[in-house]
């Protein structure tokens, strides 16, 4: 199969997967089935016809509105679909057609769902993060780049680091500063990336979170009191590690 056709096929399939991820993001936090009922308008609840459920294209044709009630549909739906397509192509160019690419893409899709749920609801559902821990450990037996020992160390260090941070913060301030969902998520990240991935993810997520916090403080002109979800930053750090982590680590140590 010519590469151009293969790339096009992968992109189209991953757009459809992105549509399913939108369903997961919408329904999992409210404990709804992600299978039944079928896709429906968030406003009027009427089922969406198959020809109105084509990823990205239907959104453009309908100009971001429900055909039935005319309610506005969030632009995030096609953006998630396009992001899924782009990430699928990224894993293909990084790993080729391989089991490693499939595992990496599944891991990244999980992180995308977790990040957006955490943004919307300030939670990281256990139904996603907990199964991901043994899944990552099992995957290590099929990956040349990750041994089962590194995966196990990643689980222990991932859960342990944030658990220690949460305990220390509570001891100092008497307040909860780190949710249990973040601890489980980092343990899952460690299962897929090993201890090096955990350290990299913590560094990048802490840096990105701090910068975002400073920007929000500067814009508001006052000290930030509201909680900022950390799951999206952990997910960002893990995705960066999947694509460029080893290269960035080698570059960093070459500086010294």
């Amino acid at each position: 199969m010519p590469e151009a056709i293969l790339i096009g096929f992968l992109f189209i399939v991953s757009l459809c997967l992105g549509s399913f991820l939108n369903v997961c993001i919408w329904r999992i936090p409210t404990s709804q089935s992600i299978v039944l009922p079928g896709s429906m308008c968030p406003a009027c609840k009427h089922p969406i016809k198959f020809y109105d459920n084509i990823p990205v294209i239907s959104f453009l044709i309908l100009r971001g509105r429900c055909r039935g009630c005319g309610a506005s549909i969030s632009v995030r739906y096609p953006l998630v679909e396009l992001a899924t397509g782009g990430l699928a192509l990224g894993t293909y160019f990084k790993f080729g057609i391989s089991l490693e690419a499939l595992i990496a893409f599944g891991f990244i899709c999980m992180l995308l769902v977790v990040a957006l749920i955490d943004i919307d609801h300030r939670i990281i559902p256990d139904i996603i993060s907990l199964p991901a821990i043994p899944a990552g450990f099992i995957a290590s037996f099929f990956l040349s780049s990750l041994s089962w020992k590194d995966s196990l160390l990643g689980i222990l260090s991932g859960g342990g680091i944030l658990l220690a941070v949460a305990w220390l913060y509570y001891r100092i301030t008497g307040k909860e500063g780190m949710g249990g969902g973040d601890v489980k998520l980092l343990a899952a990240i460690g299962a897929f990336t090993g201890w090096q991935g955990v350290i990299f993810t913590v560094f990048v997520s802490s840096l990105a979170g701090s910068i975002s916090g400073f920007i929000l403080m500067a814009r508001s002109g006052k000290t930030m009191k509201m909680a900022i979800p950390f799951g999206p930053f952990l997910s960002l750090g893990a995705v960066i590690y999947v694509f460029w982590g080893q290269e960035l680590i080698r570059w960093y140590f070459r500086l010294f």
Side-chain angles (χ1 to χ4, degrees):
M1 180 185 296
E3 187 175 30
I5 295 177
L6 176 60
I7 291 174
F9 175 76
L10 288 174
F11 187 68
I12 291 172
V13 170
S14 58
L15 286 180
C16 296
L17 177 60
S19 182
F20 174 70
L21 296 185
N22 275 319
V23 174
C24 294
I25 293 164
W26 176 260
R27 296 186 182 183
I28 287 177
T30 55
S31 301
Q32 299 181 60
S33 170
I34 60 175
V35 179
L36 295 173
S39 298
M40 64 179 70
C41 171
C44 66
K45 309 301 181 183
H46 285 173
I48 297 176
K49 303 295 184 181
F50 73 92
Y51 49 79
D52 286 335
N53 205 24
I54 302 172
V56 181
I57 294 176
S58 291
F59 183 88
L60 295 175
I61 291 175
L62 296 173
R63 297 181 180 180
R65 296 191 175 275
C66 170
R67 186 186 294 275
C69 67
S72 177
I73 298 174
S74 173
V75 71
R76 195 172 78 178
Y77 288 97
L79 289 180
V80 169
E81 293 164 353
L82 288 171
T84 307
L87 291 167
L89 295 185
T91 55
Y92 166 72
F93 290 122
K94 176 71 176 182
F95 304 105
I97 298 295
S98 64
L99 180 60
E100 188 169 7
L102 182 62
I103 292 172
F105 181 58
F107 174 55
I108 290 170
C109 286
M110 182 273 289
L111 294 171
L112 178 60
V113 171
V114 163
L116 291 175
I117 289 177
D118 200 18
I119 289 172
D120 289 342
H121 301 277
R122 301 295 193 270
I123 59 170
I124 298 176
D126 287 347
I127 197 172
I128 300 176
S129 57
L130 289 181
I133 296 173
F137 181 69
I138 293 170
S140 68
F141 289 92
F142 302 94
L143 297 173
S144 59
S145 59
L146 180 68
S147 70
W148 69 267
K149 293 180 181 178
D150 282 338
S151 178
L152 183 59
L153 285 173
I155 294 171
L156 296 175
S157 61
I161 287 174
L162 286 194
L163 193 61
V165 170
W167 178 84
L168 183 61
Y169 184 87
Y170 179 78
R171 294 293 295 179
I172 294 173
T173 66
K175 300 177 182 179
E176 298 288 344
M178 184 72 65
D182 296 321
V183 175
K184 298 164 194 171
L185 176 59
L186 189 56
I189 290 171
F192 280 94
T193 65
W195 64 270
Q196 285 187 320
V198 167
I199 294 174
F200 182 93
T201 298
V202 169
F203 175 79
V204 171
S205 59
S206 299
L207 180 62
S210 298
I211 292 173
S212 298
F214 286 135
I215 291 174
L216 288 174
M217 284 194 297
R219 292 183 64 180
S220 65
K222 57 184 178 180
T223 302
M224 291 295 297
K225 298 289 186 181
M226 68 180 198
I228 299 176
F230 197 47
F233 298 110
L234 288 172
S235 298
L236 175 63
V239 170
I240 293 174
Y241 182 80
V242 169
F243 287 116
W244 305 289
Q246 293 297 326
E247 292 81 356
L248 289 172
I249 290 173
R250 286 194 292 268
W251 169 81
Y252 176 79
F253 280 109
R254 279 201 299 268
L255 295 177
F256 302 96

